[in-house]
Amino acid sequence: MWGLANPDRFMRLTRGWGLVMGLAAAALIAWALWLGFTAPEDYQQGDTVRIMFVHVPAAWVSLAAYVALGGASLSAFVWRHSLAEAAAKTCAPLGAAFTVLALITGSLWGRPMWGAWWVWDARLTSVVVLLLFYLGCIALRAAMDDETRGGRAAAILAMVGLVNLPIVKFSVDWWSTLHQPASVFRADGPTMTPDYLWPLLIMGLGYSLLFAALWITAIRTEVMRRRLSARAARLAGDA
């Protein structure tokens, strides 16, 4: 892992990863959609249950992306690795996008199930807070002319936001909420039938690979941007 912290080594080793992971993600997502939309209707929710195959994996990835953001921010803040800084900068917009997808699809699912597009339920509220942390990290970087200062301020905010992750995860257990408790990752095993469990897990893997593909591509782009900026600065100084 520490070897990958070297930008040159990272760029060399990850060449082509984005494309391979992206193609694998597309295949898995297409497979999961086919399985999900050919599964039988739920006896209570009918066809609306199929929103789950888009909503739940987006929620999983939104949390996993924030763990990645927090880890990259810690490395950038403590050890000042340039690659970790690039990883943190590029992770926040991707995590925010998956969080927005989770919120929108959750609202579409909630309307027929709860009779409302939105309720200030503990799970939903904590996910909104998660989105605000993502957006705050993005805004802090954009608000400061000094890229280094902006990165360190965003790293601090990202690390503070890690305290929200257990709240998102366990909110349905700690408080009485409309949101259903966990039905996949449970100590006593999943409560779903295989007709729903397999498409959900395959979609989760597809989303994860999609996030990884986009993140690696974004990090590589950011590294190249910084190299070009540094080269332009040197040429301007020589002139």
Side-chain angles (χ1 to χ4, degrees):
M1 285 299 294
W2 289 110
L4 280 175
N6 180 290
D8 290 331
R9 189 174 293 113
F10 174 83
M11 294 294 282
R12 186 172 63 253
L13 291 177
T14 60
R15 187 179 295 116
W17 282 21
L19 177 61
V20 172
M21 288 183 172
L23 291 173
L28 287 169
I29 290 170
W31 184 22
L33 286 173
W34 181 80
L35 289 175
F37 281 91
T38 56
E41 291 184 8
D42 182 72
Y43 75 101
Q44 286 182 319
Q45 301 183 45
D47 275 328
T48 59
V49 74
R50 304 185 200 284
I51 300 174
M52 170 180 66
F53 302 122
V54 178
H55 167 71
V56 174
W60 289 344
V61 174
S62 70
L63 291 175
Y66 202 93
V67 173
L69 173 61
S73 297
L74 177 64
S75 296
F77 187 82
V78 176
W79 293 286
R80 303 198 177 188
H81 286 310
S82 61
L83 192 62
E85 167 62 23
K89 179 180 179 180
T90 54
C91 187
L94 294 174
F98 279 99
T99 307
V100 168
L101 178 60
L103 288 170
I104 291 174
T105 53
S107 180
L108 292 173
W109 197 7
R111 180 66 179 87
M113 293 299 101
W114 300 340
W117 294 104
W118 183 263
V119 291
W120 288 103
D121 158 282
R123 169 63 61 79
L124 273 64
T125 303
S126 58
V127 173
V128 169
V129 172
L130 178 70
L131 177 61
L132 291 177
F133 273 113
Y134 276 127
L135 296 179
C137 291
I138 297 169
L140 269 178
R141 290 180 183 277
M144 296 187 183
D145 294 332
D146 187 330
E147 191 170 0
T148 301
R149 286 182 58 210
R152 291 183 69 78
I156 293 171
L157 180 61
M159 289 186 287
V160 171
L162 289 171
V163 302
N164 185 51
L165 298 186
I167 298 174
V168 176
K169 169 62 179 171
F170 297 110
S171 55
V172 294
D173 302 315
W174 293 345
W175 297 286
S176 176
T177 71
L178 288 174
H179 209 283
Q180 70 180 51
S183 54
V184 178
F185 302 109
R186 297 166 52 97
D188 57 350
T191 58
M192 285 185 181
T193 64
D195 286 336
Y196 293 153
L197 180 61
W198 280 111
L200 189 61
L201 292 177
I202 294 168
M203 185 69 85
L205 180 59
Y207 271 39
S208 299
L209 284 175
L210 176 61
F211 169 77
L214 294 173
W215 194 23
I216 287 173
T217 302
I219 294 172
R220 289 176 59 85
T221 303
E222 177 64 15
V223 169
M224 288 188 283
R225 183 195 69 81
R226 294 185 179 202
R227 287 178 175 177
L228 290 173
S229 296
R231 184 177 301 174
R234 284 196 302 269
L235 291 174
D238 294 341

